[in-house]
Amino acid sequence: MLTIQAEGAKAKVEHEAQTKPLSSYYLEYIAANRVHWQERHLADHFAFAQAPGGDLKRRGKTKTGKKVAGPLHELLQLGPKSLTRSWVKDWIVREREERPTRLAASIRVLRSFVRWMNESEVYHGLIDPLVVQAREVSRLVPKPGVRSECLEKGQLKAWVRAVMELDSVLASRALLLLFLTGARMREVLTLRWDCIDLRWNVMTIKDKAEGTRRIPITGMVRDLLLELKQIN
């Protein structure tokens, strides 16, 4: 049974929900969880909620135009009770025509946000979890495409030869490291020497899901790293 004090607090939260937009709760959600997230994951949360307008970063002397609203921006202007299954379905249909990949990622963020709201002692019940979990909603979410491009065995020698002939030695060796380690481009480009242990032949890289992971350094990878160390 709720105490009088608890009932009063709940009534206050429900009253605020009539005028408080989801964007305010979303910022609270980010603040409560950012300590557990990697930089890229945090940046994605802000990008998905980004308001339109404002100049993009300059590339050289040319501006690339105005910022486009993030996929979640329109949705986050609603109040908790205005977020219905019908509204979400219409939103998905609109967004998937323009940016299906970004939409799929933003849906995952939205589901996590709604789950946080319902697990909160303060905000539990303000949003129906089925607005994002119902089957009729899930069916509309675009499925990630399966990549068909790959480097086949017969193409390997020609690929390595072409990479070795690149004008930029750094770019050439970075591509070879990607191929030999299976690391992601961002992981290789942000790799620092203090993360490389040539004594025990292991490198520690930042991982967007697990925080960090260790990759063994094979003989070929070691040779590439030693070559890069002489350059820089």
Side-chain angles (χ1 to χ4, degrees), residues 58-210:
R58 286 179 179 269
R59 294 183 179 176
K61 295 182 179 180
T62 306
K63 289 183 180 179
T64 57
K66 299 292 183 180
K67 290 181 180 177
V68 177
L72 293 177
H73 175 72
E74 181 185 5
L75 179 150
L76 292 174
Q77 308 316 301
L78 301 174
K81 297 302 181 182
S82 298
L83 189 65
T84 62
R85 268 185 267 183
S86 176
W87 198 98
V88 170
K89 287 193 294 182
D90 289 343
W91 167 72
I92 291 174
V93 170
R94 290 196 305 273
E95 288 288 333
R96 73 181 180 185
E97 298 300 322
E98 297 289 330
R99 38 188 175 182
T101 303
R102 294 286 282 172
L103 173 62
S106 63
I107 284 286
R108 291 193 291 272
V109 168
L110 179 60
R111 284 173 175 159
S112 179
F113 167 54
V114 171
R115 183 168 58 250
W116 174 81
M117 288 277 289
N118 278 285
E119 289 175 354
S120 166
E121 291 184 6
V122 179
Y123 301 134
H124 175 77
L126 290 183
I127 301 178
D128 179 2
L130 287 178
V131 298
V132 290
Q133 294 174 356
R135 185 174 299 177
E136 60 189 291
V137 173
S138 298
R139 284 174 178 161
L140 295 173
V141 180
K143 302 293 187 294
V146 178
R147 291 188 174 182
S148 58
E149 70 272 15
C150 64
L151 184 65
E152 297 182 3
K153 186 176 180 180
Q155 301 169 328
L156 185 56
K157 285 185 180 180
W159 182 84
V160 172
R161 191 182 305 116
V163 169
M164 292 295 289
E165 291 175 355
L166 289 175
D167 292 335
S168 171
V169 176
L170 290 176
S172 169
R173 302 313 181 255
L175 286 169
L176 290 172
L177 284 174
L178 285 171
F179 174 72
L180 293 170
T181 63
R184 302 178 181 92
M185 177 67 78
R186 187 182 184 86
E187 294 169 343
V188 168
L189 295 180
T190 57
L191 191 62
R192 302 190 313 272
W193 287 112
D194 58 3
C195 298
I196 298 171
D197 187 342
L198 292 174
R199 179 185 178 189
W200 299 107
N201 290 322
V202 66
M203 63 174 71
T204 304
I205 61 177
K206 290 184 178 181
D207 185 277
K208 66 178 183 180
E210 300 173 8

